[in-house]
Amino acid sequence: MFGLLSPELYLHFFLFLIATFFSWFVPGWVALSVVKFKTVSLRFLLALPTGLALWGIQGYLLGYAHVRFLTLIYIIVFTVLFWREQKSKRFDDFKKIWVEIKKQPWWLFVLVAVSSFLQIFSHVGSGLMTATGLPFYFVNSVDGVMHLSYIQELVKNFPPQEPGAVGLPLINYHYWSDLVQAELIRVWQLPTIHVFFQYAPIVISTWTTVLFLRLISYLGGSRKTQLVALLLLTFGADAAYLITQVLHGHWGPNVSSLDSGVTFYFNIPQVYARFVFLASIFLLTKWWKERSFKTGVLVTLLIASLFGFKVYYALYAVFGFCFVVGLEIILHFISNLKKKSVVTALITTMQNSKFSLLLVGILAAISLAIYLPVNKAAGGLTYSFFEWPHLLLSAVNIDYIDWFLRMQVYKAYDNTRNIIIFNLWAAFLTFVAVYGTRMFGMLPLFKTKNEHMKKLFLFFIPTNILFVLLGLLTLQTSGGLNIFNFLIVPILAFNIFVAFNLSQLKTKIFVPFIVVFALLTIPRSLIQLNLFYERYSTSQADAVISPNELEAFTYLRNQEAATVQTSMENYYNYQTPYISFMSGQPTYIGGVSMLESHNQPTKERVAEIKEALTQSDSNLKADLLRSLGITYFIVPTSEYQKPNTWLVEKVFENETITIVKLQ
């Protein structure tokens, strides 16, 4: 763990770049040799996300096969293939890429750099050592530390266990964003905390931004379209502040924000899923045009990998893909039916569509192989009408009490008409509160001659409708209101449609409209960025691991594998398994809040620890903790010094922390 001014921080970043080149980029580049590209720069941009997905697949397969050492062979084989191809071409591909790069205006590079930095600003400040300890900011003090503990566990073991609950398998959670980082760390010996907070975000945010702009161009967008898209990617956010301004006469910066460009990196699985999903969109359009079976297989691999990164993106991609394939089959059948009998038409249609159906079968098989071993107990969805709208309008958020009072009256008098009207009103307010100006992309109102975009209409529009309805009408069995992800995933498509909708306005209308549009778009993000800056500049971290704690954790890291535990009164460890990550050892129970959100059993373990610690007899207390397999117990030094509290061997002590050894 290094400070911001430590040379080692930057030396390891250079090593990280080398690692991603050989582990992600090179395999992706080689795999994309099966696809025909008009420009080599597109192959270059797709190589990193494609290789990232393949890196996850190899980590998953070799991990379950208990042959993780073969990862080195994986890297060597792809590197040899890459070298042979480029040597035969005298590296002409990269010369062409450099020529294309030089053609781009300098200000575009500046905008990409600024956008990428603003997207990760909330994320990169955590995990940098300071004189007062190791700080974690915002939700990363909980969620980020959980990911660190998962990465560390995946470096050591596969299949992984819950680092906060030794012996429990890590299930009911999409952990591939942690897996791909863990594989890099395992092979290249990189610092976990800096890969997660600094290195990977810098690379992925920059690459995602460039890839997104290239997608806009690929779909027929102009430079003006790209700039609108970049505005939304960076600053796009909710507009709940407008509702609170109208209702209460003040802006509501504290209203829950489900998604904004400057907080997107708080949800790391979503970051990696979006990156791979963007690549799959390009490859899907290639497959639709060329019908190459090899390209189709590559598409299915990328889409199936999304079940490991973020299941909501996976379901979105699968539904869109299957909808387009299914619609094509139906249209072919109707066309054949005009000339042939039903049976003959059906047989002919199946014969003509056999490769498409085979790809659907391959996609289903790989997706289930990735999803079921980890998520088979995750549960599904239950019908629950307008839970998210009700939450957003409640007193803790927008505080639209009048809506609830009126609905009570309408329901009491069975006023169906007004019930429908007010529910539609609630849905509209939800869209404003969640999407803000991105609502303008809920429907594509622009004209296009681009064949890729026309095909994507069939992919995006039905899937967007389905996901919005699922977000409004369901709850997740194990995660409850986590169904907000159904509302978030379509935002990428909305951003694309908004950019095209606005860019086709006439110049006289476009300029004033885009000014107003920008003024409505950026307030939430500016408020958030200002908050991030204030918290960083004044070192107001949400959690800080003190030097005394770091000293104690260093001692535990240097011990042989053991189970560590602390009191359940340690609220931070109750929230997230920080002791497991910092000590490099599993705990008997920690990160209870996270475990419960993943539908994992916790009550019995919590009760066992509490029962042991309530014993007045020190020997009985120690015996009960030993019986749970706990080797080291962390207690405050002030508590240890109380008479007859801990009559067991003390192996470490400083001003605030004492560690006793039970085994």
Side-chain angles (χ1 to χ4, degrees):
M1 293 173 278
F2 312 119
L4 182 61
L5 301 179
S6 170
E8 291 175 286
L9 178 71
Y10 302 97
L11 288 173
H12 279 90
F13 181 54
F14 180 69
L15 177 59
F16 173 81
L17 294 178
I18 294 172
T20 53
F21 178 78
F22 287 104
S23 303
W24 296 356
F25 179 86
V26 167
W29 177 275
V30 173
L32 288 168
S33 63
V34 302
V35 184
K36 296 178 181 178
F37 293 101
K38 288 184 178 179
T39 60
V40 71
S41 61
L42 184 54
R43 182 181 177 185
F44 177 84
L45 286 175
L46 294 178
L48 197 69
T50 301
L52 176 67
L54 297 177
W55 184 247
I57 291 170
Q58 72 80 29
Y60 194 70
L61 292 176
L62 300 184
Y64 270 117
H66 302 289
V67 288
R68 300 180 83 181
F69 64 90
L70 291 179
T71 297
L72 289 173
I73 306 300
Y74 172 89
I75 294 172
I76 291 170
V77 168
F78 277 108
T79 301
V80 170
L81 293 174
F82 174 80
W83 175 259
R84 288 176 61 185
E85 178 195 1
Q86 291 308 309
K87 189 177 179 182
S88 66
K89 294 181 178 180
R90 297 182 180 181
F91 293 92
D92 283 344
D93 287 340
F94 290 89
K95 293 175 184 176
K96 293 176 182 177
I97 291 166
W98 180 243
V99 170
E100 285 197 47
I101 290 173
K102 290 195 294 184
K103 290 180 180 178
Q104 304 305 314
W106 64 268
W107 53 263
L108 187 60
F109 293 100
V110 173
L111 289 179
V112 167
V114 171
S115 173
S116 302
F117 173 73
L118 293 178
Q119 289 175 57
I120 63 174
F121 184 52
S122 63
H123 190 77
V124 295
S126 294
L128 293 169
M129 189 67 75
T130 68
T132 58
L134 188 66
F136 297 101
Y137 291 87
F138 318 116
V139 298
N140 278 322
S141 64
V142 177
D143 289 18
V145 172
M146 178 199 74
H147 285 294
L148 290 174
S149 67
Y150 284 177
I151 292 169
Q152 183 173 258
E153 169 63 17
L154 284 158
V155 169
K156 296 177 180 179
N157 302 303
F158 199 96
Q161 296 183 355
E162 282 284 357
V166 62
L168 280 183
L170 203 172
I171 57 174
N172 303 335
Y173 189 72
H174 29 249
Y175 57 69
W176 274 35
S177 63
D178 304 316
L179 174 63
V180 292
Q181 294 174 83
E183 287 291 281
L184 275 186
I185 292 162
R186 178 176 67 86
V187 174
W188 296 89
Q189 298 299 295
L190 295 163
T192 301
I193 200 165
H194 298 302
V195 168
F196 180 78
F197 283 122
Q198 285 87 39
Y199 303 162
I202 289 171
V203 171
I204 291 180
S205 65
T206 304
W207 211 282
T208 298
T209 302
V210 175
L211 190 61
F212 183 62
L213 294 180
R214 183 57 184 270
L215 177 62
I216 298 299
S217 174
Y218 181 76
L219 296 177
S222 63
R223 186 72 79 191
K224 186 165 61 173
T225 316
Q226 287 182 316
L227 293 177
V228 176
L230 186 61
L231 171 71
L232 290 167
L233 182 70
T234 312
F235 295 106
D238 66 281
Y241 66 89
L242 287 177
I243 301 173
T244 57
Q245 179 67 39
V246 172
L247 293 178
H248 308 299
H250 64 80
W251 282 24
N254 295 322
V255 175
S256 272
S257 176
L258 295 187
D259 174 89
S260 78
V262 299
T263 61
F264 194 80
Y265 279 72
F266 282 155
N267 191 330
I268 286 297
Q270 189 167 257
V271 167
Y272 281 80
R274 184 180 68 176
F275 189 40
V276 174
F277 177 66
L278 273 172
S280 71
I281 292 174
F282 282 97
L283 294 177
L284 267 173
T285 61
K286 286 288 184 182
W287 175 71
W288 284 330
K289 184 176 181 179
E290 300 167 5
R291 296 297 170 169
S292 164
F293 185 70
K294 291 180 180 179
T295 303
V297 171
L298 195 56
V299 169
T300 62
L301 288 175
L302 262 64
I303 293 177
S305 75
L306 292 173
F307 280 98
F309 290 108
K310 189 80 172 178
V311 68
Y312 298 95
Y313 273 90
L315 293 173
Y316 186 94
V318 166
F319 180 82
F321 177 75
C322 292
F323 180 85
V324 174
V325 170
L327 183 62
E328 287 179 343
I329 291 173
I330 291 171
L331 292 176
H332 286 159
F333 175 71
I334 292 173
S335 176
N336 289 327
L337 196 58
K338 294 177 181 178
K339 307 171 185 176
K340 305 172 183 178
S341 66
V342 174
V343 175
T344 305
L346 183 61
I347 293 172
T348 303
T349 302
M350 293 298 103
Q351 288 176 339
N352 293 338
S353 306
K354 60 183 177 182
F355 287 122
S356 296
L357 291 171
L358 180 58
L359 288 175
V360 171
I362 293 172
L363 174 60
I366 299 174
S367 298
L368 291 173
I370 293 172
Y371 179 80
L372 289 179
V374 178
N375 297 286
K376 59 185 176 184
L381 301 175
T382 58
Y383 175 76
S384 186
F385 185 78
F386 272 34
E387 282 294 331
W388 258 112
H390 292 162
L391 178 63
L392 284 168
L393 299 179
S394 68
V396 296
N397 286 301
I398 293 173
D399 193 21
Y400 193 6
I401 300 303
D402 186 60
W403 185 89
F404 291 96
L405 295 175
R406 286 175 178 269
M407 284 298 288
Q408 287 179 4
V409 173
Y410 297 148
K411 288 179 180 179
Y413 287 91
D414 292 326
N415 190 331
T416 304
R417 182 180 68 89
N418 282 354
I419 289 173
I420 293 172
I421 290 172
F422 260 65
N423 277 324
L424 291 173
W425 177 236
F428 174 77
L429 293 177
T430 300
F431 296 152
V432 173
V434 173
Y435 299 127
T437 55
R438 296 170 295 193
M439 278 181 61
F440 289 100
M442 295 185 79
L443 286 175
L445 303 176
F446 57 91
K447 297 178 180 179
T448 182
K449 296 180 180 179
N450 185 280
E451 293 301 320
H452 301 314
M453 179 63 91
K454 290 178 180 179
K455 205 76 171 184
L456 284 175
F457 283 164
L458 298 175
F459 179 88
F460 281 135
I461 296 174
T463 316
N464 290 344
I465 293 170
L466 174 66
F467 266 55
V468 169
L469 289 176
L470 289 172
L472 295 176
L473 302 176
T474 65
L475 283 177
Q476 191 176 322
T477 304
S478 60
L481 289 167
N482 276 346
I483 49 91
F484 75 83
N485 286 284
F486 282 119
L487 298 174
I488 297 304
V489 175
I491 285 176
L492 183 67
F494 293 167
N495 285 344
I496 294 170
F497 290 160
V498 171
F500 278 90
N501 283 340
L502 297 188
S503 65
Q504 291 194 2
L505 293 174
K506 294 181 179 179
T507 305
K508 291 183 179 180
I509 301 173
F510 175 78
V511 174
F513 190 92
I514 198 64
V515 170
V516 175
F517 180 85
L519 290 174
L520 291 174
T521 298
I522 64 177
R524 165 71 86 171
S525 293
L526 290 181
I527 290 170
Q528 290 170 328
L529 288 169
N530 182 60
L531 171 65
F532 303 154
Y533 174 76
E534 287 182 352
R535 294 283 294 278
Y536 284 149
S537 61
T538 56
S539 300
Q540 295 182 54
D542 290 80
V544 179
I545 313 301
S546 69
N548 282 337
E549 286 183 287
L550 291 170
E551 185 184 8
F553 291 136
T554 299
Y555 169 82
L556 290 170
R557 274 190 177 272
N558 292 328
Q559 307 309 305
E560 294 182 358
T563 301
V564 178
Q565 189 55 45
T566 191
S567 167
M568 299 312 299
E569 293 178 3
N570 185 325
Y571 183 64
Y572 189 31
N573 195 58
Y574 189 90
Q575 287 182 297
T576 193
Y578 92 98
I579 286 180
S580 175
F581 170 68
M582 297 304 304
S583 67
Q585 308 282 5
T587 57
Y588 183 70
I589 184 66
V592 175
S593 300
M594 294 297 181
L595 289 167
E596 289 177 345
S597 71
H598 301 161
N599 209 22
Q600 291 275 39
T602 61
K603 292 181 179 179
E604 185 177 345
R605 293 193 180 208
V606 171
E608 288 170 339
I609 296 297
K610 287 183 175 180
E611 180 187 1
L613 296 181
T614 56
Q615 304 302 317
S616 57
D617 185 324
S618 177
N619 290 326
L620 179 58
K621 174 165 54 180
D623 286 341
L624 287 173
L625 292 173
R626 287 190 195 101
S627 69
L628 300 177
I630 296 169
T631 305
Y632 296 99
F633 201 89
I634 303 171
V635 295
T637 297
S638 58
E639 179 185 332
Y640 180 81
Q641 291 173 347
K642 294 177 181 178
N644 301 318
T645 304
W646 290 93
L647 301 179
V648 290
E649 180 186 3
K650 175 180 66 178
V651 294
F652 175 89
E653 184 180 50
N654 61 29
E655 293 177 359
T656 59
I657 303 290
T658 297
I659 301 174
V660 298
K661 188 173 184 180
L662 301 168
Q663 302 286 358

